[in-house]
Amino acid sequence: MENQLNIYMDESGKEKNNVSLMGGISIPKDYYKEEGIQKLNEKLKSNAIKLHFTDYKPHSLELYVEVFDAFFKIKDAMNINIMAYKRSNFKNHPLLASKINDMIYEKVPQRVIYGLLRKQSDLTPVIANVYVESSTEYHNRNLDKKIKKQVNEHALYRFNNFKIQISKLIPKNTEIGVEFTDLIIGIVRFIMLNRPVVNEDGQISKTAIHKYELIYKLMPKLKILLSEIKLYELSQQDHLDEIPFKNYLKFFEAHMNLLAEKGYLKV
């Protein structure tokens, strides 16, 4: 018998952002068929709903809560693997600074996906289907084909008992698993940055406030899910350091609760 696993991957923070995240979520295929998740998937594919944490607006609060609650029901079956990095750490390489994007858009995605597969059982084979939100960078590099080829070769080299059967680049708003991944890594990055809502000129960022309000609403369940995240920070010399996410969360929660006390948030 083969166990079927779906993996969804997305990123948060592009070239103009120094701190970037690339993350993936693995879900057993049968769990992904859960009724609430599939109803949302049908709405997404029919363009009845759209999701994107970067563009979040308060009128979408109920939708985001519904999506989060649907996936929270299967929280014990999900694994979340995220890699965080700063481009500036690699721009000073004496010989290969010009290859930063090749590393980020090829090597990092493979590490994210391999991290979700490498500790599967040696007794029962796992067949994985990988879905990555398409982008120009991924398309130009044929990332879907490279992920399948190189991760499978790595599995053979280490004699891991898994295989990537399908690897696809898919457009935005076509698979709810990818959109949920976008939501999670967007929230994780927002928490890590812990930005103020008032700038040096005294101007209030409504966009930031709306996202704080969303996270405040989700936090009771969100905190449970975030405690299971495997977060790695990529430093120079290819060091991957696992960072307990609570290290970021404690500062963010203190800041968010202060904002609520001062009346910046409608909670």
Side-chain angles (χ1 to χ4, degrees):
M1 181 178 177
E2 297 174 341
N3 290 322
Q4 298 281 331
L5 191 69
N6 288 354
I7 293 177
Y8 305 94
M9 200 191 83
D10 201 357
E11 63 178 316
S12 178
K14 289 283 193 177
E15 269 192 62
K16 63 180 181 179
N17 304 111
N18 194 24
V19 177
S20 301
L21 273 64
M22 199 167 286
I25 297 179
S26 67
I27 304 173
K29 189 174 181 179
D30 287 341
Y31 271 110
Y32 192 69
K33 295 177 182 178
E34 195 271 335
E35 184 180 0
I37 291 174
Q38 284 309 305
K39 282 183 178 179
L40 287 165
N41 210 27
E42 290 168 10
K43 289 180 181 179
L44 186 77
K45 290 180 177 181
S46 66
N47 293 316
I49 60 173
K50 287 189 177 182
L51 293 160
H52 194 17
F53 182 72
T54 299
D55 301 327
Y56 170 75
K57 299 292 188 299
H59 63 78
S60 298
L61 175 62
E62 289 185 10
L63 170 61
Y64 279 70
V65 170
E66 181 184 358
V67 171
F68 188 84
D69 284 349
F71 280 90
F72 188 78
K73 290 179 181 178
I74 61 167
K75 65 182 186 305
D76 294 333
M78 292 191 296
N79 287 316
I80 304 173
N81 191 29
I82 296 176
M83 285 181 63
Y85 55 91
K86 284 187 175 182
R87 292 174 182 272
S88 58
N89 285 348
F90 305 98
K91 287 183 177 178
N92 296 323
H93 192 286
L95 299 174
L96 297 170
S98 63
K99 298 294 182 180
I100 291 175
N101 283 346
D102 291 338
M103 179 198 73
I104 289 172
Y105 293 117
E106 292 185 23
K107 183 69 172 178
V108 175
Q110 292 167 31
R111 296 291 291 269
V112 168
I113 290 169
Y114 181 72
L116 289 166
L117 288 167
R118 66 187 179 90
K119 290 189 177 180
Q120 302 296 329
S121 171
D122 286 334
L123 302 179
T124 306
V126 172
I127 303 299
N129 298 322
V130 177
Y131 304 93
V132 181
E133 183 174 309
S134 186
S135 70
T136 301
E137 295 88 353
Y138 294 157
H139 180 76
N140 289 345
R141 291 174 171 80
N142 294 312
L143 181 65
D144 51 337
K145 295 180 177 63
K146 288 181 179 178
I147 283 175
K148 182 177 179 178
K149 179 177 184 296
Q150 295 180 12
V151 175
N152 282 345
E153 287 176 354
H154 201 63
L156 178 60
Y157 171 73
R158 293 189 176 273
F159 218 83
N160 298 128
N161 199 16
F162 67 78
K163 173 186 176 181
I164 294 178
Q165 179 172 266
I166 295 173
S167 180
K168 289 184 178 180
L169 298 178
I170 61 173
K172 184 155 189 63
N173 292 312
T174 57
E175 196 65 56
I176 196 67
V178 170
E179 304 312 314
F180 182 69
T181 305
D182 171 89
L183 173 60
I184 290 296
I185 63 173
I187 288 175
V188 166
R189 185 171 182 271
F190 191 79
I191 290 172
M192 289 174 67
L193 295 177
N194 197 18
R195 287 176 170 158
V197 298
V198 183
N199 64 22
E200 294 177 355
D201 298 326
Q203 295 179 321
I204 297 175
S205 171
K206 291 184 179 180
T207 299
I209 285 177
H210 294 158
K211 289 179 180 178
Y212 272 105
E213 289 172 343
L214 172 64
I215 295 171
Y216 192 96
K217 174 74 174 180
L218 296 175
M219 187 55 78
K221 292 180 179 177
L222 180 62
K223 195 171 182 177
I224 297 171
L225 193 60
L226 294 180
S227 67
E228 300 298 322
I229 285 177
K230 297 292 184 184
L231 175 65
Y232 299 92
E233 292 186 3
L234 177 62
S235 59
Q236 293 169 336
Q237 287 82 47
D238 194 30
H239 291 164
L240 271 179
D241 299 316
E242 185 172 359
I243 308 296
F245 193 66
K246 66 181 181 181
N247 291 3
Y248 287 106
L249 192 58
K250 61 186 178 184
F251 294 110
F252 179 84
E253 277 196 290
H255 182 204
M256 181 176 64
N257 291 334
L258 182 62
L259 291 173
E261 288 174 12
K262 290 187 173 182
Y264 285 105
L265 309 184
K266 295 178 182 178
V267 295

